[in-house]
Amino acid sequence: MNFTVKGLLRKFLIWKYKHISERQFVYLLSILVGFLAGMGTVLLKNLVHAIRLLFEISFFKNYQNSLYFIFPILGLLLIYIVKQTWLKKHIGHGISSTLYAISKLNGIIPRYNIYAALITAPLTVGFGGSVGLQGPAVSIGSALGSNAARLFHMNTKTRMLLIGCASAGAMASMFKAPIAAIIFAIEIFSLDIAFVSLVPLLLASVSAVITSYFFLGTDVLLRFELTDTFEIKDIPFYMILGIATGFASVYFSKVFFAITNFFKQFKSRAKRLLIGGLAIGTLLYIIPPLYGEGYGIMNNLLKGDHLAAIGTTPFNLDLSNIWIVIALLLGISVFKAIAMTTTFGAGGVGGVFIPTLVMGSTLGNAFAKIINNIGLDFNVSESNFTLIGMTGLMAGVLHAPLTAIFLIAEITGGYELFVPLMLVSAISFTITKYYVSHSIYTLKLAERGELMTHDKDQNVLMVLDIDKVIETNFIILKPDMKLGNILKEAVAKSSRNHFPVVNKHDEFLGVIRLDDIRHIMFNTDLYDQVDVASLMRASAGIIDYDDDSMNDIMDKFKSSGAWNLPVIKSGKYYGYISKSKLLTAYRQQLINFT
């Protein structure tokens, strides 16, 4: 059977090469990838819905508050069992893992990423983990896109484009917002805005959103119809909201990294599960609205029903007091980031996209309520400020202001709020960028020099493979070798003019160049008197295989002025890199990018 499948695929590829141009086939693949990403997202949402239906029976409803503590721990325990007994592989955050695959793995994503997120994310979210599904949806779609490209023997550049198409498809299917989905793929994955790449993104996005409409109907995650128009007098309040969401984004990012680093100190998954499970269970018991993704909060706030958004709490609070409501909304905003990251720390699988929107919606709504209730002669639209708050948090936390603007504009069904959307996004992004240089998705990759950006030169250097430019056919000298042996064993047998010197532990000591011995190489009286140690010189620079990025290597060639530099690996001599070979490889990779 396997032979038959391979044979059919081979015949199809031969037929494709004869009858379909490369560009046309990429268009067809983008439609297929969009459909697959849409199907993955639909399946992901339906699995979560199926799990939640189990908890709708009357037995569970009678003990709802208590079960807010138990269910997340149970879900995390099931994920732990799945990881330990079946998957036995690391499941990273969807978008961060995809960015790493694009930057360092030539867009190759393992097949298990397709089903790993499809199993673990519904268990996390369905049982109340305070995370979103957008990240897992992108992970599933990206893995489908990567493996579809590999199946049909597409080149690296096309494979990366199809990953972007799949990511756009996942976004379009999740929110039914195809334009925002394209911008998301361009902004987050640093895809080039060119006709060649734009058409596949359009086709994938449309394919995915049609798939979502076909299987889910016209139902959308965020139900809102714009009724309150933008008023020029509200601009000062929008500016203040932009500042507030900017600092809230900084808080969100700092909390994420702090809690993530806290859990990293525990090597045992069981220990992380125990500590994180108890923490998230306690948080959800005290603040039930943190349970699950949080679409109920956003939709109820957009409808103006803050009581339904807050729901029932274990405390007997007077919710007729608007200031208690405001305090609760701000509490949800503050603790959503903590609950989300704790879910990750305990072993849950999900995304940060939806929690960001939840935090922004509660912050924006609370801000509008404060304006409307402090005695000023102003009355602002709470639903509009709820939407704009979501935009501000998205622009800041994700470092994606254009995605934030167009997603909310598409959700509202119009562009009435375009001015405040742009204003708040710009302010929030600027403030966050000042304090947090990279987004949650990209910070760790940027610190390791593994982040793909819109800077082509930087991208080319990053994807260059150091092993392909290292030359190891240099004859090695020892410090005690005499001049006669150098000429007989090295110079006579080598076409090189560089000879590295290492000790008995293979540690690099220096180098002898042919020019260093040219003036004495024919003086036979010195053959037994002069040794390597007296002739060698220090290298103009040394490349560390383990620590130096390609950007560092290029800088060392520039600062030293050398044409050849030695490479050490784990403290031992490994080989040489020549500037000419490095530049040749750079030019070839640049051609691939352009």
Side-chain angles (χ1 to χ4, degrees):
M1 179 65 181
N2 189 39
F3 173 77
T4 305
V5 172
K6 286 185 177 179
L8 289 173
L9 177 62
R10 184 172 178 273
K11 288 180 180 179
F12 171 77
L13 290 174
I14 293 172
W15 177 87
K16 186 263 291 186
Y17 289 136
K18 289 180 179 179
H19 298 92
I20 304 176
S21 71
E22 190 75 7
R23 178 175 294 185
Q24 290 172 336
F25 190 64
V26 169
Y27 291 166
L28 292 174
L29 272 183
S30 65
I31 295 171
L32 173 64
V33 165
F35 168 73
L36 292 174
M39 285 297 298
T41 304
V42 167
L43 185 56
L44 197 63
K45 288 159 70 173
N46 281 332
L47 286 172
V48 173
H49 182 65
I51 293 172
R52 285 178 175 166
L53 281 179
L54 295 175
F55 304 144
E56 291 295 317
I57 61 178
S58 58
F59 171 78
F60 290 122
K61 286 189 174 182
N62 293 334
Y63 302 96
Q64 194 170 24
N65 274 4
S66 300
L67 294 177
Y68 278 138
F69 179 83
I70 298 171
F71 280 155
I73 299 175
L74 180 59
L76 292 168
L77 181 60
L78 290 173
I79 294 169
Y80 175 80
I81 294 170
V82 169
K83 286 181 177 180
Q84 291 292 101
T85 61
W86 182 42
L87 290 177
K88 297 181 180 179
K89 291 182 175 72
H90 173 68
I91 306 173
H93 296 304
I95 295 176
S96 297
S97 298
T98 303
L99 285 167
Y100 176 78
I102 291 173
S103 298
K104 300 303 292 182
L105 303 177
N106 290 325
I108 295 175
I109 301 175
R111 289 186 183 91
Y112 78 85
N113 278 34
I114 299 171
Y115 56 83
L118 202 55
I119 295 167
T120 54
L123 288 174
T124 304
V125 178
F127 279 83
S130 195
V131 293
L133 289 177
Q134 180 62 29
V138 169
S139 179
I140 294 166
S142 299
L144 287 166
S146 173
N147 285 283
R150 293 170 67 189
L151 178 66
F152 293 108
H153 299 184
M154 307 308 291
N155 59 31
T156 300
K157 186 177 181 181
T158 303
R159 186 162 58 242
M160 292 182 179
L161 175 59
L162 289 177
I163 290 174
C165 289
S167 302
M171 179 84 166
S173 180
M174 182 72 72
F175 292 101
K176 290 187 171 69
I179 297 174
I182 295 170
I183 295 170
F184 170 79
I186 293 170
E187 199 166 28
I188 297 295
F189 295 100
S190 300
L191 296 177
D192 290 330
I193 306 176
F195 180 79
V196 175
S197 57
L198 186 58
V199 173
L201 286 170
L202 282 166
L203 293 172
S205 187
V206 170
S207 174
V209 81
I210 291 173
T211 303
S212 182
Y213 273 115
F214 182 81
F215 286 99
L216 300 177
T218 56
D219 187 37
V220 292
L221 292 175
L222 292 175
R223 305 174 191 88
F224 181 74
E225 196 169 317
L226 188 66
T227 56
D228 299 325
T229 58
F230 162 67
E231 296 186 32
I232 195 73
K233 66 181 177 61
D234 294 337
I235 281 184
F237 296 119
Y238 283 123
M239 293 176 68
I240 298 171
L241 179 61
I243 295 170
T245 54
F247 284 106
S249 299
V250 174
Y251 160 79
F252 190 104
S253 302
K254 297 290 187 182
V255 165
F256 178 86
F257 295 124
I259 296 178
T260 299
N261 292 332
F262 169 77
F263 278 100
K264 278 182 179 178
Q265 66 183 319
F266 303 108
K267 302 300 180 184
S268 167
R269 282 183 179 175
K271 190 174 288 186
R272 291 199 293 267
L273 168 64
L274 179 63
I275 296 171
L278 290 173
I280 189 66
T282 303
L283 270 174
L284 298 189
Y285 177 78
I286 296 172
I287 313 175
L290 298 177
Y291 187 91
E293 289 182 278
Y295 282 111
I297 297 174
M298 291 186 285
N299 283 316
N300 284 313
L301 289 178
L302 289 173
K303 289 189 297 184
D305 191 351
H306 57 254
L307 295 180
I310 294 170
T312 58
T313 66
F315 309 106
N316 187 22
L317 299 174
D318 180 14
L319 296 183
S320 63
N321 186 329
I322 192 63
W323 294 105
I324 292 179
V325 171
I326 290 171
L328 288 173
L329 289 173
L330 291 175
I332 294 171
S333 185
V334 168
F335 285 100
K336 185 63 179 179
I338 298 172
M340 178 202 74
T341 316
T342 304
T343 303
F344 288 140
V349 176
V352 304
F353 200 99
I354 309 303
T356 301
L357 295 179
V358 173
M359 183 175 173
S361 68
T362 53
L363 181 62
N365 192 271
F367 183 78
K369 281 180 167 57
I370 291 172
I371 295 171
N372 291 338
N373 289 277
I374 57 174
L376 295 176
D377 189 20
F378 278 100
N379 187 58
V380 298
S381 168
E382 293 184 3
S383 59
N384 285 1
F385 272 73
T386 301
L387 281 171
I388 303 299
M390 294 159 64
T391 308
L393 259 292
M394 203 190 317
V397 173
L398 308 183
H399 285 215
L402 292 178
T403 301
I405 292 168
F406 282 93
L407 178 62
I408 301 303
E410 276 194 278
I411 288 172
T412 61
Y415 294 90
E416 284 286 338
L417 297 178
F418 217 64
V419 171
L421 286 172
M422 294 172 66
L423 181 64
V424 172
S425 292
I427 294 173
S428 179
F429 174 71
T430 302
I431 291 173
T432 311
K433 187 75 174 175
Y434 180 81
Y435 291 101
V436 184
S437 58
H438 291 86
S439 72
I440 284 172
Y441 300 139
T442 61
L443 182 65
K444 296 300 179 184
L445 295 174
E447 288 176 348
R448 299 196 301 263
E450 298 171 348
L451 177 63
M452 191 76 75
T453 69
H454 287 287
D455 185 340
K456 282 193 178 68
D457 289 334
Q458 188 70 31
N459 293 343
V460 170
L461 287 174
M462 184 173 55
V463 299
L464 281 178
D465 187 351
I466 188 172
D467 289 312
K468 292 183 178 179
V469 293
I470 295 177
E471 300 174 86
T472 56
N473 58 343
F474 286 78
I475 295 177
I476 296 172
L477 305 179
K478 299 293 183 181
D480 56 355
M481 286 180 66
K482 301 299 183 182
L483 177 61
N485 286 336
I486 297 174
L487 299 175
K488 182 179 178 181
E489 301 297 330
V491 176
K493 296 180 179 180
S494 175
S495 59
R496 303 283 187 177
N497 61 2
H498 273 65
F499 302 96
V501 182
V502 302
N503 60 19
K504 61 181 180 179
H505 302 296
D506 292 328
E507 295 169 336
F508 181 79
L509 300 177
V511 61
I512 289 180
R513 297 188 304 179
L514 196 57
D515 288 344
D516 296 331
I517 59 173
R518 197 183 302 276
H519 64 290
I520 58 171
M521 61 189 297
F522 297 111
N523 188 342
T524 57
D525 295 336
L526 300 178
Y527 280 13
D528 295 322
Q529 297 180 25
V530 178
D531 59 17
V532 168
S534 62
L535 293 171
M536 71 177 184
R537 64 166 68 188
S539 175
I542 295 177
I543 296 168
D544 191 321
Y545 181 95
D546 301 308
D547 294 333
D548 287 343
S549 66
M550 274 296 179
N551 200 44
D552 297 328
I553 293 170
M554 196 66 86
D555 286 341
K556 287 185 176 182
F557 273 109
K558 185 178 180 180
S559 61
S560 66
W563 278 96
N564 295 276
L565 288 177
V567 180
I568 60 168
K569 184 177 182 180
S570 301
K572 301 180 184 298
Y573 167 77
Y574 186 61
Y576 261 82
I577 293 179
S578 70
K579 183 187 286 188
S580 58
K581 187 161 187 175
L582 179 60
L583 292 176
T584 299
Y586 172 84
R587 282 193 294 269
Q588 184 57 52
Q589 196 63 252
L590 185 61
I591 291 171
N592 293 338
F593 264 85
T594 56

